[in-house]
Amino acid sequence: MIRLHGVSKIYPNRVAALVNVNLNVERGEFVFLVGPSGAGKTTFLRLLMRHILPTSGHIIVDGRNICRLRQWEVPYYRRRVGMVFQDFKLLPAKTVYENVAFALRVTETPPSEIRRRVPEVLRLVGLQDRAKAHPADLSGGEQQRVSIARAIVNRPDILLADELTGNLDPDTSWGIMDLMQEINRMGTTIIMATHNMSIVNRMKKRVVEIDCGRVVRDEDGGGYRGEA
Amino acid sequence: MRPSTLRYYIGESLAGIRRSTSLMSLGTIIASFLVLGMLGLVFINIYHISQFIESRVEIRAFLKDGLSASDIRGLQSRLSAVPGVKRVSFISRDEGLKRLKAQLQDKRFLLDVMEENPLPDAFDIELKDPRNVKSIAATISRMPGVDEVNYGQGFAETLFTTTRFILIVSMGLFAIIASLVVFIIGNAVRLSIFARRREIEIMKLVGATDWFVRWPFLLEGIMIGVAGAGLSCAVLVVLYQTCLDYVGSGMPFLPLVSDPFVIAATCLALLFAGAVMGATASWVFMKRHLRV
C-alpha cells in the first residue's frame, strides 16, 4: 500500500532529516515509528501527508507516486489520509460535533451524509454524550478522541499519528490506544510516531526505528529498544 | 457547487466582514467611492458640455466685397468640397445684420449710429469633426474671395486641451483612490485570514481544495467592495440631485446631465468597480498571506 524508494529529505538549511529510506507498509498494518527527537519521524509523516516533497526518491501510495500529484490533486489525496497530532488542533469556538463535522463540510460532503456520519463516529470514539461540549470543557483524552474522530470521519485508508499520547497520562493513553487498535481492526492502515516506550513494548506491533534520518531497525512485534 | 457549500461560503464571508471590517475602514471605502463617483459625474458633465459646445463650433467665412452671384455660388461649391465640411450655408449681409440686431437686443442703438450695413456677405460652415476646425479654417482662409475667417480662434483649442487635461487628472486620481480602496479591503481580508489561520490549517489538513479555502475570502473582498460602492451610490444620488436643483435654478444655461439612465449607469459602474477592486484586493492579499 505504501512504498518508499530511496527517500531522502534535506531541508534548505542543509539538515538531512531522512537519508535513503526504503520501506513497505501493507494495507491494514499497524506500524510504530520510534526514535529520538529530531530523528526524522515527523518529516516521515509530513512526507506521507504530502505536506513536503522529498529531495530524492519516490513515495508510492496505492500505486501512485504522490510526489507527482498535481496541486489540485493533493486535497483529494489528503482525504484518504487522516492525521492526528499531539496538540489535537481542535477549533475552540466550535463544539465537538462541529469540529468533527468541519472535516466533512470543507470536503463538500452532503449535509444529510454529515448528519449520519458524525454521530456514528462520535459513538465509535465514545463521545456521543459530549457532542455539544466545547474543547475547553473536555479532558485531554477526550480532546484527542475528538481529533481522532475528525481524522477518520472521512473514512481514510491511512491514519497517521504524531505523538498522539504525548500529552496524556498513562491510563488515558491506553484508552486511546484501544481506540486506535479498533480503528486498525476496521481495516485502516496506521502509522504512529511515538516516544511512549510502554505502549510500544506492550502492543507487539511492527516497529520501525529511525535514527539520524536512517531506518536502523524494522521488526515485527518488536519493542521500543529492540532485542537488546 | 452544492447549495450547502454556497451557504457556507457566504456565511463565512459575512462572519469575516463582521470580524475584520471596522466602521472606520468601511467609512473610508464609502468616502473613496463617493469621490470616484463624483469624479465620474464631473467628467460625464464636462464631456457633455464640451460635446454641446463642440456641436456649435462652426466657421464663419466673411467674403470680400464686390463678388458676383456666380462667384458666390462657385465659392459655396468649393467650400462644400473641402474634406471635413458638413454643411455650408450662405448668410447675406442683410441676414447677418438681422441676426446681429437680434443678439444685441437693447444695445441695438450701437448699430443705429451707422448709416449703412457694415457687414460683408458670409458663409456659415458646419464641420463633421469640430476638432479639425483649425486646419479647415486655414484652408478656407486661403481661398480666393474669402476675406477673413472666424471660428472663435483659441476658444475651441482651449476647450479641447482642458477636457483632455481633466481626463488625465481624473485618471490619475482614479488610480490613487483605487489603490487606496484595494489596500483597505485587502487589509480587512488579511485580518480575516489571520483570524482564521487555525481553521485554514485544519481545512488543508483534512483535504479541502484550495478554492474551497479561497472562496470565502474572495467573496468577503467583493462584498465589502460592493457594499461600500452601494452605500456611496446612495449618497451620490442625493448629492447630485441637490446639485442639479441648485444649478437648475442658479445657472440654467449650464447643460448638466440629468438623464436618470446616465446616473443609474454611473452607479452600476461604481458597483462593478467595487466588485473588481474587492476581488483584486482579496486576490493580491491572499497571494501574500494565504499559503494553500
Side-chain angles (χ1 to χ4, degrees):
Chain A
M1 160 144 236
I2 303 170
R3 303 198 192 294
L4 279 74
H5 293 297
V7 172
S8 297
K9 178 65 189 179
I10 295 151
Y11 287 110
N13 59 5
R14 301 177 134 221
V15 173
L18 287 178
V19 182
N20 192 26
V21 172
N22 293 289
L23 196 72
N24 286 351
V25 176
E26 296 309 319
R27 186 176 292 277
E29 263 196 282
F30 195 128
V31 181
F32 282 118
L33 214 53
V34 301
S37 297
K41 303 190 296 292
T42 301
T43 297
F44 186 97
L45 296 178
R46 288 177 65 194
L47 282 168
L48 279 179
M49 273 306 278
R50 186 38 176 82
H51 235 85
I52 51 174
L53 286 167
T55 314
S56 61
H58 309 296
I59 303 171
I60 317 285
V61 177
D62 250 352
R64 270 215 76 180
N65 185 348
I66 63 164
C67 314
R68 295 244 179 89
L69 290 177
R70 291 168 190 280
Q71 180 65 28
W72 67 267
E73 292 177 299
V74 173
Y76 298 96
Y77 167 73
R78 287 204 187 129
R79 292 177 195 187
R80 299 173 43 215
V81 183
M83 179 100 195
V84 199
F85 299 88
Q86 180 174 11
D87 60 356
F88 321 133
K89 294 198 191 296
L90 299 176
L91 297 170
K94 293 188 190 294
T95 65
V96 167
Y97 182 97
E98 289 164 345
N99 264 287
V100 177
F102 187 72
L104 293 174
R105 265 215 302 178
V106 302
T107 49
E108 296 177 77
T109 311
S112 58
E113 186 79 3
I114 297 178
R115 282 192 293 273
R116 199 172 59 75
R117 261 151 77 172
V118 175
E120 203 177 276
V121 78
L122 284 181
R123 213 160 21 248
L124 176 68
V125 302
L127 287 175
Q128 62 271 36
D129 301 327
R130 307 288 277 155
K132 289 201 176 79
H134 282 85
D137 308 327
L138 302 177
S139 70
E142 285 172 324
Q143 289 188 51
Q144 192 56 284
R145 283 167 190 272
V146 178
S147 86
I148 292 171
R150 185 182 62 199
I152 62 171
V153 73
N154 259 326
R155 299 179 177 156
D157 303 321
I158 302 165
L159 182 60
L160 305 176
D162 195 4
E163 304 281 1
L164 84 166
T165 58
N167 277 342
L168 305 175
D169 63 63
D171 282 352
T172 314
S173 297
W174 280 113
I176 294 289
M177 288 318 297
D178 285 343
L179 177 60
M180 292 297 273
Q181 263 191 300
E182 173 76 23
I183 292 164
N184 181 234
R185 267 199 292 276
M186 288 158 59
T188 309
T189 308
I190 294 180
I191 300 180
M192 179 174 160
T194 185
H195 278 135
N196 193 317
M197 207 182 294
S198 61
I199 283 177
V200 177
N201 287 340
R202 260 175 63 182
M203 285 190 50
K204 300 280 179 232
K205 300 286 186 188
R206 179 175 170 190
V207 175
V208 173
E209 185 176 344
I210 301 179
D211 195 7
C212 295
R214 291 168 198 277
V215 174
V216 295
R217 178 164 64 99
D218 185 352
E219 186 181 11
D220 266 327
Y224 193 86
R225 291 259 179 260
E227 301 294 341
Chain B
M1 194 189 289
R2 291 175 189 289
S4 58
T5 303
L6 188 64
R7 268 204 306 280
Y8 171 84
Y9 289 160
I10 293 172
E12 292 297 306
S13 308
L14 289 175
I17 291 172
R18 268 201 299 278
R19 193 160 36 203
S20 52
T21 308
S22 63
L23 272 179
M24 170 92 161
S25 54
L26 191 63
T28 315
I29 292 167
I30 294 172
S32 306
F33 276 114
L34 197 57
V35 173
L36 284 185
M38 288 191 207
L39 217 57
L41 283 175
V42 165
F43 194 75
I44 288 171
N45 274 297
I46 286 175
Y47 183 76
H48 182 72
I49 292 171
S50 71
Q51 287 294 94
F52 180 80
I53 296 173
E54 274 180 17
S55 70
R56 276 157 186 74
V57 168
E58 51 183 26
I59 301 171
R60 176 160 294 185
F62 296 105
L63 305 186
K64 288 182 174 139
D65 282 339
L67 293 180
S68 70
S70 66
D71 286 341
I72 290 173
R73 271 198 303 278
L75 185 55
Q76 176 155 22
S77 58
R78 265 181 290 136
L79 284 173
S80 307
V82 172
V85 168
K86 194 157 86 185
R87 193 183 304 143
V88 179
S89 43
F90 180 66
I91 314 284
S92 70
R93 47 192 308 185
D94 299 335
E95 175 68 22
L97 186 64
K98 227 191 298 174
R99 290 193 190 177
L100 189 60
K101 279 181 176 168
Q103 271 178 24
L104 291 175
Q105 288 174 7
D106 51 337
K107 296 190 189 75
R108 207 175 292 175
F109 64 88
L110 287 172
L111 292 175
D112 294 339
V113 300
M114 298 189 188
E115 280 163 16
E116 59 180 74
N117 184 355
L119 294 175
D121 288 335
F123 281 115
D124 266 357
I125 299 143
E126 286 179 52
L127 305 178
K128 285 176 186 149
D129 183 357
R131 274 165 230 277
N132 301 328
V133 63
K134 200 172 181 180
S135 62
I136 293 174
T139 311
I140 290 171
S141 69
R142 282 194 299 270
M143 285 182 167
V146 174
D147 187 30
E148 200 186 333
V149 294
N150 187 340
Y151 60 95
Q153 278 91 336
F155 177 73
E157 283 97 335
T158 312
L159 182 70
F160 299 142
T161 44
T162 309
T163 44
R164 190 172 310 126
F165 175 75
I166 290 172
L167 178 64
I168 291 167
V169 170
S170 306
M171 287 198 303
L173 263 175
F174 180 88
I176 293 169
I177 293 172
S179 32
L180 173 74
V181 169
V182 164
F183 182 78
I184 295 170
I185 297 178
N187 208 45
V189 170
R190 185 180 66 85
L191 286 177
S192 272
I193 292 173
F194 185 71
R196 295 185 58 214
R197 62 197 184 285
R198 286 178 63 97
E199 274 165 69
I200 294 168
E201 182 193 356
I202 292 164
M203 284 163 90
K204 287 191 267 181
L205 197 70
V206 298
T209 58
D210 293 354
W211 272 105
F212 191 92
V213 178
R214 284 187 194 128
W215 262 116
F217 297 111
L218 201 57
L219 269 184
E220 182 177 338
I222 294 173
M223 282 182 187
I224 299 175
V226 170
L231 290 170
S232 74
C233 276
V235 180
L236 189 68
V237 166
V238 172
L239 279 182
Y240 191 63
Q241 195 54 53
T242 315
C243 172
L244 280 183
D245 293 347
Y246 180 74
V247 170
S249 59
M251 292 175 275
F253 52 85
L254 207 58
L256 288 189
V257 176
S258 57
D259 186 353
F261 177 78
V262 173
I263 296 164
T266 307
C267 285
L268 270 182
L270 220 50
L271 288 174
F272 182 72
V276 170
M277 284 178 208
T280 309
S282 300
W283 190 251
V284 170
F285 278 71
M286 273 195 306
K287 284 271 168 216
R288 290 203 47 194
H289 298 284
L290 187 60
R291 292 269 162 263
V292 289

